Amino acid sequence: MSGLSDDQLAEHRDAFTLFDKKGDGKIDLSQLGDVLRALGQNPKSAEIKKIAQDVDPRGQKRLGFEDFLPILNGVRKKSTQGTQEEFIEGLKVFDRDGNGTVSSVELRHVLTSLGEKLTDEEVDQLLVGMEDAQGQVQYEEFVKTIMAG
């Protein structure tokens, strides 16, 4: 259902329960952002307002854990997936000549050592057909290809 292990589910339920001031297994919508942040998410205030508005336009509803889980999963999915433009901007830093390319060696280093680290084999798969004869990768095309699946 939620893609969480039993331990994660229990941990999330415990955190949710800490915000249940009435003891009825529910939180006020006004606490939604606090609960999401307590669970390691960092949604923007505008995003929280939109979610709350979608759940209850009048803002008077209390939210149960079972109704909260899909919201958490949506925020988690949205926060972990950057936009194409964000990835391209991030790779521009490595474009020393300003010509739209980065060294495949440098790109490999970034992909295997920063953030969610990839293995050398995973990077090999991503770079197939992306390098030119000089070992350069057109990073916009690289990002578009990767994000297209």
Side-chain angles (χ1 to χ4, degrees):
M1 169 179 98
S2 62
L4 299 170
S5 70
D6 289 343
D7 286 345
Q8 289 171 316
L9 203 54
E11 184 179 312
H12 288 25
R13 188 180 298 275
D14 288 345
F16 182 88
T17 303
L18 292 174
F19 292 88
D20 175 11
K21 302 215 184 307
K22 293 184 179 179
D24 62 354
K26 296 180 179 182
I27 61 166
D28 290 328
L29 272 178
S30 63
Q31 297 173 291
L32 181 60
D34 296 334
V35 177
L36 289 168
R37 288 183 189 96
L39 291 170
Q41 301 307 301
N42 193 20
K44 295 178 178 142
S45 295
E47 186 179 357
I48 294 168
K49 283 180 185 175
K50 182 180 180 338
I51 293 168
Q53 186 71 25
D54 291 347
V55 171
D56 181 22
R58 294 187 312 195
Q60 299 173 352
K61 183 177 180 184
R62 289 178 50 82
L63 193 65
F65 184 69
E66 296 305 319
D67 295 325
F68 169 75
L69 274 180
I71 294 170
L72 172 63
N73 288 334
V75 169
R76 182 176 284 142
K77 191 177 295 179
K78 191 173 189 178
S79 70
T80 58
Q81 184 175 14
T83 67
Q84 189 169 307
E85 292 78 25
E86 289 171 333
F87 290 121
I88 290 169
E89 280 300 310
L91 290 174
K92 271 186 186 176
V93 172
F94 301 100
D95 182 5
R96 290 191 174 90
D97 299 329
N99 62 2
T101 64
V102 294
S103 156
S104 61
V105 172
E106 207 162 21
L107 184 57
R108 175 179 296 281
H109 175 72
V110 168
L111 295 173
T112 58
S113 61
L114 298 177
E116 194 172 316
K117 298 169 183 67
L118 300 178
T119 66
D120 285 327
E121 294 76 26
E122 290 169 326
V123 175
D124 288 341
Q125 289 176 345
L126 293 177
L127 290 176
V128 168
M130 300 302 292
E131 290 178 88
D132 65 15
Q134 290 78 38
Q136 297 291 307
V137 175
Q138 296 261 338
Y139 57 86
E140 282 193 41
E141 189 61 35
F142 176 75
V143 170
K144 288 176 184 174
T145 301
I146 299 304
M147 294 199 71

